[in-house]
């Protein structure tokens, strides 16, 4: 028994010591861990390439006044080069110059010699344009403009290009400056505009002047193969949980998708869709800068600018932003489908999204037809004689393309035409009418 007690004591002591050693080892143990790389995130579902803001917000026309003569752009080649050049500039502080400018004052301001004017389809918030061409000041006013006027009349004296931002809607004028040498201006700025054609100002007794190409112009009529983005792709992009969305084929021309709260209607015949989220509707007025950026970021996030889409309309009260399709540098209009992307913003999220789901993919070289367009002066003369359209009610007269279906369902034809634009809507002036015949408006 005496030995058994001793053995117990030795075993107990061993267990205590082992416990101490193990406890110490646990406290001081540092595991040798390998770094496990984070798994790549699932790629965002997109339908096209993402685009820079400068590709979406750009002028549709540039005119220049020098030695009492007008010149201007046809198409977008010169415009694209000019805007790209401007992105290397930096504006000084933005300074208010004048309020309550009359139509007469605006016309005279643009008409002054040694001035270049950039025309935008819609008012552009200066806070957003700051992302394209930066300003030196951090805090910019909540103002918008639809024209930029460059004045180089004093370039030689102070090596400064004066830049004016004009809002025809609010009748306000702001100014800023860009430092540059006369050599740079002559060799770069003016050289970019060397491809301009002759223009003419159409003065109106009660309104702003119109500016049109003076001579006949040749444009190409195109026929395009179209590609389509499957509606299921937009279902997966737009709905919170696509797995619970029900698809209902109403008939051969109409398909509906719904999750019980939101609805996407697909017009199969005319190739466009309309998504609505009623729960997010909001009537609170939003600043133009926030409304535009929210809209642009939403569409761009899924590569939704599936063509040359450009800002064409902002409605603050209704939270609506629209982007017009351009092709070969000209706007594309149609009565057979929509050629605009439209977003309506709600309570911190999208309320409505309407857009085409077709893409003008590839033009058929053998189907190209050269068309000689009548001069802008002939179009003005036609409008003055036409009783259905008053020249004083027209906001602008532009060249563009009229998109219409082809006999082949996979083809669209783009026919060059003149258009009269008024309060955001357009009317086509047919070539047959200008030469005599029907009333000529569509």
């Amino acid at each position: 028994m005496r030995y058994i007690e001793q053995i117990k004591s030795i075993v107990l002591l061993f267990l205590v010591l082992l416990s101490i050693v193990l406890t110490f080892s646990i406290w001081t143990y540092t595991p040798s861990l390998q770094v496990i790389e984070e798994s790549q995130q699932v790629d965002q579902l997109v339908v096209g390439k993402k685009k820079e803001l400068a590709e979406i917000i750009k002028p549709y026309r540039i005119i220049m006044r020098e030695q009492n003569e007008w010149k201007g752009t046809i198409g977008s080649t010169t415009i694209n080069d000019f805007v790209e050049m401007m992105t290397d500039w930096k504006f000084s502080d933005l300074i208010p110059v004048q309020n309550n400018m009359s139509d007469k004052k605006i016309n005279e301001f643009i008409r002054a010699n040694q001035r270049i004017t950039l025309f935008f389809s819609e008012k552009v918030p200066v806070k957003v344009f700051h992302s394209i061409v930066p300003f030196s000041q951090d805090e910019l006013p909540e103002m918008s403009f639809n024209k930029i006027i460059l004045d180089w009349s004093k370039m030689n004296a102070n090596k400064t290009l004066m830049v004016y931002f004009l809002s025809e809607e609010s009748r306000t004028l702001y100014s800023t400056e860009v430092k540059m040498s006369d050599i740079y201006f002559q060799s770069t700025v003016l050289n970019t505009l060397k491809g301009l054609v002759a223009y003419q100002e159409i003065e109106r007794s009660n309104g702003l002047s119109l500016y049109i190409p003076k001579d006949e112009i040749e444009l190409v009529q195109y026929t395009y193969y179209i590609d389509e983005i499957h509606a299921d792709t937009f279902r997966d992009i737009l709905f919170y949980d696509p797995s619970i969305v029900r698809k209902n084929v109403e008939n051969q021309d109409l398909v509906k998708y719904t999750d019980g709260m939101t609805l996407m209607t697909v017009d199969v015949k005319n190739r466009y869709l309309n998504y609505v989220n009623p729960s997010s509707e909001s009537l609170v007025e939003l600043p133009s800068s926030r409304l535009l950026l929210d809209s642009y970021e939403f569409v761009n996030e899924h590569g939704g600018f599936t063509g040359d889409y450009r800002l064409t309309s902002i409605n603050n009260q209704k939270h609506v932003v629209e982007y017009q399709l351009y092709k070969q540098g000209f706007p594309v209009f149609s009565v057979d489908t929509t050629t605009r992307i439209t977003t309506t913003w709600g309570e911190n999220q999208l309320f409505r999204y309407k857009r085409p789901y077709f893409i003008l993919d590839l033009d058929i070289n053998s189907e190209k037809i050269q068309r000689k367009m009548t001069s802008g002066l002939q179009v003005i003369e036609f409008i003055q004689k036409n009783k259905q359209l008053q020249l004083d009610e027209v906001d602008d007269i532009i060249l563009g393309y009229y998109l219409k279906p082809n006999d082949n369902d996979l083809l669209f034809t783009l026919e060059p035409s003149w258009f009269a634009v008024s309060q955001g809507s357009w009317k086509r002036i047919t070539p047959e009418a200008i030469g005599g015949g029907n009333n000529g408006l569509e």
Side-chain angles (χ1 to χ4, degrees):
M1 292 295 291
R2 186 179 56 189
Y3 295 111
I4 293 176
E5 290 299 324
Q6 290 178 349
I7 292 171
K8 286 182 178 180
S9 298
I10 292 171
V11 171
L12 181 60
L13 178 60
F14 172 77
L15 291 175
V16 171
L17 291 174
L18 181 61
S19 175
I20 294 172
V21 171
L22 290 175
T23 302
F24 180 77
S25 298
I26 292 172
W27 287 351
T28 59
Y29 175 67
T30 302
S32 177
L33 298 177
Q34 293 182 343
V35 177
I36 301 175
E37 295 182 0
E38 293 184 6
S39 59
Q40 293 184 344
Q41 293 183 344
V42 177
D43 290 338
Q44 169 108 27
L45 190 60
V46 296
V47 294
K49 295 180 180 179
K50 295 186 179 182
K51 296 194 173 184
E52 298 294 328
L53 197 57
E55 298 178 77
I56 308 302
I57 301 175
K58 63 172 65 174
Y60 68 92
R61 176 192 294 141
I62 299 177
I63 61 171
M64 181 170 67
R65 178 74 165 173
E66 187 176 21
Q67 297 179 348
N68 296 324
E69 292 186 353
W70 295 99
K71 292 183 179 180
T73 53
I74 297 292
S76 289
T77 302
T78 298
I79 292 173
N80 293 339
D81 293 341
F82 199 87
V83 172
E84 184 178 356
M85 173 196 64
M86 287 182 65
T87 58
D88 294 329
W89 296 357
K90 185 172 183 177
F91 295 134
S92 63
D93 288 0
L94 194 63
I95 302 171
V97 176
Q98 190 172 347
N99 293 319
N100 302 318
M101 292 185 72
S102 65
D103 289 339
K104 181 181 178 181
K105 285 289 185 183
I106 291 174
N107 291 335
E108 291 174 349
F109 193 79
I110 295 173
R111 192 182 299 130
N113 277 312
Q114 295 183 302
R115 287 188 176 171
I116 300 165
T117 303
L118 285 66
F119 290 65
F120 293 81
S121 299
E122 180 55 287
K123 56 184 182 294
V124 180
V126 72
K127 287 185 175 180
V128 176
F129 196 71
H130 173 65
S131 300
I132 300 172
V133 185
F135 290 79
S136 59
Q137 69 195 96
D138 295 326
E139 294 297 326
L140 289 163
E142 190 66 50
M143 66 86 62
S144 298
F145 64 90
N146 67 312
K147 284 183 172 64
I148 297 177
I149 299 105
L150 311 178
D151 180 1
W152 80 89
S153 60
K154 298 178 182 178
M155 276 291 302
N156 288 329
N158 54 20
K159 310 233 181 288
T160 299
L161 178 66
M162 292 298 303
V163 181
Y164 296 93
F165 291 83
L166 171 66
S167 170
E168 292 175 347
E169 183 179 86
S170 62
R171 303 286 167 162
T172 55
L173 185 70
Y174 282 71
S175 72
T176 183
E177 298 177 351
V178 180
K179 293 292 183 182
M180 66 177 63
S181 67
D182 185 61
I183 295 175
Y184 171 84
F185 180 79
Q186 296 290 336
S187 64
T188 304
V189 179
L190 291 185
N191 189 57
T192 306
L193 300 175
K194 63 183 179 181
L196 301 185
V197 302
Y199 259 65
Q200 181 156 333
E201 178 186 9
I202 306 300
E203 297 184 51
R204 297 185 288 182
S205 57
N206 298 313
L208 298 169
S209 293
L210 301 174
Y211 306 88
I212 56 173
K214 191 174 183 179
D215 303 317
E216 291 183 345
I217 296 166
E218 285 196 350
L219 294 180
V220 178
Q221 175 176 304
Y222 293 92
T223 298
Y224 276 88
Y225 283 112
I226 61 170
D227 194 8
E228 294 184 356
I229 305 166
H230 200 283
D232 287 355
T233 304
F234 284 104
R235 173 203 62 192
D236 296 342
I237 290 171
L238 297 173
F239 286 88
Y240 180 76
D241 185 357
S243 64
I244 65 171
V245 175
R246 299 186 305 276
K247 178 180 178 180
N248 300 312
V249 180
E250 304 286 320
N251 53 57
Q252 63 179 4
D253 295 331
L254 184 64
V255 179
K256 293 182 178 180
Y257 294 78
T258 183
D259 60 1
M261 292 292 293
T262 54
L263 173 68
M264 184 174 77
T265 304
V266 180
D267 188 322
V268 179
K269 180 181 179 181
N270 297 313
R271 295 182 169 96
Y272 72 86
L273 60 87
N274 187 27
Y275 166 87
V276 181
N277 181 7
S279 63
S280 66
E281 185 176 14
S282 173
L283 300 177
V284 179
E285 186 170 341
L286 297 174
S288 295
S289 55
R290 178 187 164 190
L291 179 61
L292 175 55
L293 286 176
D294 284 347
S295 171
Y296 160 75
E297 289 171 358
F298 162 75
V299 178
N300 204 40
E301 187 177 24
H302 59 267
F305 295 112
T306 51
D308 185 7
Y309 285 94
R310 306 182 192 178
L311 174 68
T312 194
S313 176
I314 301 177
N315 187 317
N316 295 63
Q317 288 75 26
K318 295 182 179 181
H319 298 187
V320 176
V321 179
E322 294 184 293
Y323 308 90
Q324 178 69 52
L325 176 63
Y326 278 65
K327 204 67 182 175
Q328 306 296 338
F330 297 94
V332 178
F333 303 104
S334 180
V335 296
D336 297 298
T337 184
T338 182
T339 56
R340 288 188 177 187
I341 294 174
T342 304
T343 66
T344 305
W345 214 248
E347 190 67 35
N348 297 319
Q349 60 180 320
L350 185 72
F351 167 63
R352 185 187 300 274
Y353 186 35
K354 182 180 179 181
R355 61 161 299 136
Y357 61 82
F358 68 85
I359 300 172
L360 298 177
D361 188 28
L362 181 68
D363 67 278
I364 304 172
N365 193 57
S366 61
E367 295 291 322
K368 290 180 181 179
I369 302 174
Q370 204 76 19
R371 299 290 191 191
K372 181 173 285 189
M373 309 301 296
T374 54
S375 70
L377 293 178
Q378 289 176 286
V379 176
I380 294 295
E381 184 180 344
F382 165 77
I383 293 175
Q384 289 173 331
K385 293 179 180 178
N386 190 284
K387 295 181 180 180
Q388 295 185 13
L389 188 63
Q390 300 297 318
L391 188 61
D392 287 344
E393 298 175 357
V394 174
D395 295 328
D396 208 346
I397 297 171
I398 59 175
L399 284 165
Y401 279 109
Y402 183 70
L403 182 149
K404 57 185 182 181
N406 197 284
D407 292 336
N408 185 330
D409 193 47
L410 298 177
L411 302 178
F412 274 149
T413 297
L414 270 65
E415 184 177 319
S417 302
W418 282 100
F419 297 89
V421 180
S422 180
Q423 296 182 349
S425 62
W426 57 270
K427 291 183 178 180
R428 183 187 180 214
I429 303 171
T430 61
E432 297 80 13
I434 299 175
N438 56 32
N439 65 24
L441 297 178
E442 292 185 353

